Amino acid sequence: MSHIEYETFGQEFHTAPTLLGIKCGSLISLPKDRFDIHTHIRIFNGKASRKSLKIRKLYDYENRSLLLIYNEKLMKKRLADDDVRELLSCFGYSAGFSADEYLQRLGVRLSENKTFPHEIGIFLDYPVEDVIGFMVNKGANYKLCGYWKVYGNEENARRTFENYVKCRNFLCNKLNQGIDLYQALKIS
């Protein structure tokens, strides 16, 4: 595995659930001065497109790039949900947007704000009720804190967290055995 692959996907393997197809998106941040990010995005997108996986640069900070690794099919399904569209419309996302336009708007929202726009949770597959709960409660009064702060269905969140751990363990085991990331994902 090349250094960019390890740096990109080795960030505590938070991307594993997305790479393995059970989560629509994951964020990573990479130093701009250490990688030719555009080249690596092009290579990954070329190899992973048949698995519906993509990387998109959302925003450049001073010395880092914020990237979204996402499953295009899952993201389109997520963004077609009526509750998701209704929530996103509160932040200037048009109900008529394509998935690409939603992602474009997210990049604009990131550039407009000093902090992450709270609706980013939608693009990371957090339940709508938990994204709303986080905004209403300003991050307090949650029932459970794991991969996100849970305000709604605690049991569903626990099951999801367990599945994320299984994905991370699976991918870590493959990589620790010396299997290339693309081979582990069956896209080489």
Side-chain angles (χ1 to χ4, degrees), residues 61-185:
Y61 294 95
E62 285 181 23
N63 59 353
R64 299 192 73 79
S65 290
L66 184 65
L67 308 176
L68 179 70
I69 296 177
Y70 65 102
N71 181 301
E72 190 173 29
K73 287 179 186 173
L74 293 179
M75 186 65 74
K76 284 179 179 179
K77 182 178 177 185
R78 174 79 169 159
L79 295 173
D81 179 86
D82 289 337
D83 293 334
V84 165
R85 286 179 180 262
E86 183 178 334
L87 176 61
L88 290 178
S89 71
C90 298
F91 301 100
Y93 298 82
S94 171
F97 276 1
S98 67
D100 190 58
E101 289 169 319
Y102 275 108
L103 296 174
Q104 219 169 6
R105 175 71 181 143
L106 177 61
V108 169
R109 293 273 298 149
L110 283 161
S111 70
E112 293 173 344
N113 293 287
K114 299 267 188 238
T115 59
F116 271 28
H118 295 308
E119 76 270 12
I120 202 164
I122 293 297
F123 299 90
L124 303 177
D125 229 357
Y126 302 167
V128 172
E129 64 187 340
D130 293 337
V131 174
I132 293 170
F134 184 87
M135 289 187 284
V136 168
N137 290 282
K138 299 181 178 162
N141 305 319
Y142 50 87
K143 297 178 184 178
L144 174 68
C145 186
Y147 287 86
W148 66 85
K149 290 183 178 179
V150 178
Y151 295 88
N153 192 319
E154 203 174 334
E155 188 54 40
N156 281 350
R158 285 185 196 282
R159 277 194 302 275
T160 299
F161 296 165
E162 289 171 12
N163 287 331
Y164 288 0
V165 169
K166 288 176 187 175
C167 286
R168 290 173 69 180
N169 289 341
F170 172 82
L171 194 53
C172 286
N173 287 337
K174 292 290 185 186
L175 298 176
N176 287 336
Q177 293 170 16
I179 296 173
D180 173 89
L181 177 70
Y182 294 112
Q183 291 171 330
L185 298 175

Side-chain angles (χ1 to χ4, degrees), residues 21-99:
I22 69 165
K23 186 174 187 275
C24 71
S26 299
L27 291 175
I28 59 171
S29 174
L30 291 176
K32 292 191 301 187
D33 61 345
R34 290 188 32 213
F35 306 108
D36 179 355
I37 291 172
H38 293 286
T39 298
H40 290 290
I41 288 172
R42 185 179 44 76
I43 291 168
F44 179 84
N45 288 348
K47 287 185 176 185
S49 64
R50 70 183 186 92
K51 287 281 191 174
S52 197
L53 293 170
K54 286 191 170 184
I55 298 178
R56 179 187 186 111
K57 183 170 74 166
L58 291 176
Y59 184 68
D60 278 328
Y61 294 95
E62 285 181 23
N63 59 353
R64 299 192 73 79
S65 290
L66 184 65
L67 308 176
L68 179 70
I69 296 177
Y70 65 102
N71 181 301
E72 190 173 29
K73 287 179 186 173
L74 293 179
M75 186 65 74
K76 284 179 179 179
K77 182 178 177 185
R78 174 79 169 159
L79 295 173
D81 179 86
D82 289 337
D83 293 334
V84 165
R85 286 179 180 262
E86 183 178 334
L87 176 61
L88 290 178
S89 71
C90 298
F91 301 100
Y93 298 82
S94 171
F97 276 1
S98 67

